[in-house]
Amino acid sequence: DIDDILMEDEHVTAIARIDCASLAFLRPYNSTNTAASTSSTTLMTNEKVSLPLWTLPFLCFDSRFFDVTLPKHFSDSFRKKLDAGGDSFNLRLKSPYFYSSGFLLCSLVSSSPSSRRSSDNRLTLLKKECSLLLSVLKKAFIGSRLRKTLDWSLSFRDEDCTSYTNTLTTEELALFEIGARASLGYQEWKRKGSRFIKVSGIVKSKDRRVVSPG
């Protein structure tokens, strides 16, 4: 599924916990880190990089090479705004796969193995943040935004809805299209109404061959 591939390629910011040999290729091209200039192949401790979601289990949770930070659109301040009423936000600008990537990130973090080491305090805090994020995402997905999306999809009449649909995430747009198809199908059914059903020519021909009794 192309959407799954694109969703798993969503990036998050990660901070190197140790010097990582041969991982300098992860460094942004515009990096101005002075420590980075001392090595062409080693990613230095505390350097920030951008990692796709699919790499997190290997680089962040199993090996603990990196600490993960939540994207800005999943930050505490934005979660509070979304929780207060998110039907006016253009979530597509934040991420086309806002919900799917958020749910995947929460799943990856919650399933990551915990450790008793004090250095893993960041992971513990991240798990708490993701628990709050998961609650907000569920509420936003089935709350006022869903009602507004269904209202638009079921009530439009060949109108230009791009000003609204351009604000929807990929998941919300799929729901909108389902509702729109159902609405158009219903309108087509009403337009046709009750009609006389013509008898098939095959049936007529068969009736002619039936011999009347007596």
Side-chain angles (χ1 to χ4, degrees), residues 43-61:
L43 193 69
M44 309 304 290
T45 304
N46 292 327
E47 276 198 76
K48 291 184 178 181
V49 295
S50 181
L51 298 177
L53 290 176
W54 64 267
T55 66
L56 300 191
F58 313 104
L59 295 178
C60 302
F61 303 139

Side-chain angles (χ1 to χ4, degrees), residues 145-156:
R145 287 185 67 89
L146 176 61
R147 291 193 296 271
K148 187 175 181 180
T149 298
L150 292 179
D151 181 58
W152 270 80
S153 67
L154 296 174
S155 60
F156 84 103

Side-chain angles (χ1 to χ4, degrees), residues 156-167:
F156 84 103
R157 297 290 184 274
D158 297 324
E159 300 173 6
D160 184 7
C161 300
T162 53
S163 60
Y164 175 68
T165 56
N166 286 341
T167 69

Side-chain angles (χ1 to χ4, degrees), residues 2 14 28 32 41 47 50 56 73 97 117 144 152 155 168 182 193 210:
I2 187 63
T32 57
T41 61
E47 276 198 76
S50 181
L56 300 191
H73 54 268
Y97 300 93
R117 293 180 300 178
S144 57
W152 270 80
S155 60
L168 301 179
V210 175

Side-chain angles (χ1 to χ4, degrees), residues 177-192:
E177 291 174 347
I178 292 173
R181 287 196 298 269
S183 178
L184 291 174
Y186 174 68
Q187 293 302 319
E188 181 68 11
W189 174 80
K190 283 185 65 177
R191 185 183 66 82
K192 291 180 178 179

Side-chain angles (χ1 to χ4, degrees), residues 19-111:
D19 292 350
C20 302
S22 303
L23 291 183
F25 67 90
L26 295 174
R27 184 181 298 132
Y29 289 115
N30 61 349
S31 175
T32 57
N33 191 302
T34 55
S37 62
T38 64
S39 173
S40 59
T41 61
T42 301
L43 193 69
M44 309 304 290
T45 304
N46 292 327
E47 276 198 76
K48 291 184 178 181
V49 295
S50 181
L51 298 177
L53 290 176
W54 64 267
T55 66
L56 300 191
F58 313 104
L59 295 178
C60 302
F61 303 139
D62 292 341
S63 61
R64 306 294 173 87
F65 289 157
F66 296 90
D67 284 322
V68 178
T69 59
L70 293 180
K72 290 183 178 180
H73 54 268
F74 292 147
S75 65
D76 179 61
S77 59
F78 189 76
R79 291 200 306 268
K80 289 179 179 177
K81 293 177 182 178
L82 188 62
D83 191 39
D87 55 323
S88 61
F89 287 112
N90 186 342
L91 294 185
R92 194 171 189 84
L93 281 180
K94 305 296 181 182
S95 170
Y97 300 93
F98 184 84
Y99 297 104
S100 297
S101 61
F103 288 140
L104 177 60
L105 178 58
C106 291
S107 176
L108 292 174
V109 172
S110 62
S111 62

